[in-house]
Amino acid sequence: MSSDLNEFLAEHGIKHQCTVPYTPQQNGVAKMKNKSLMEMARYMVNSQALPHSF
């Protein structure tokens, strides 16, 4: 981690969490977060009556 990145995150109030690479236990957390984000994005697109191409 560079000090520039750490400073940027601190200035913007972003909490940074590192994970251990190649750990199936932590992959589940990432998959659930991605699923939640995709569901929210689909809902926002559908609520605005945008074409399906979006």
Side-chain angles (χ1 to χ4, degrees), residues 42-51:
R42 283 188 196 106
Y43 173 77
M44 288 187 281
V45 169
N46 288 336
S47 68
Q48 296 299 313
L50 294 171

Side-chain angles (χ1 to χ4, degrees), residues 5-6 10 14 19-21 26 35-36 43 45 48:
L5 178 59
N6 286 332
I14 300 171
T19 59
V20 180
Q26 291 180 342
K35 182 179 176 183
S36 297
Y43 173 77
V45 169
Q48 296 299 313

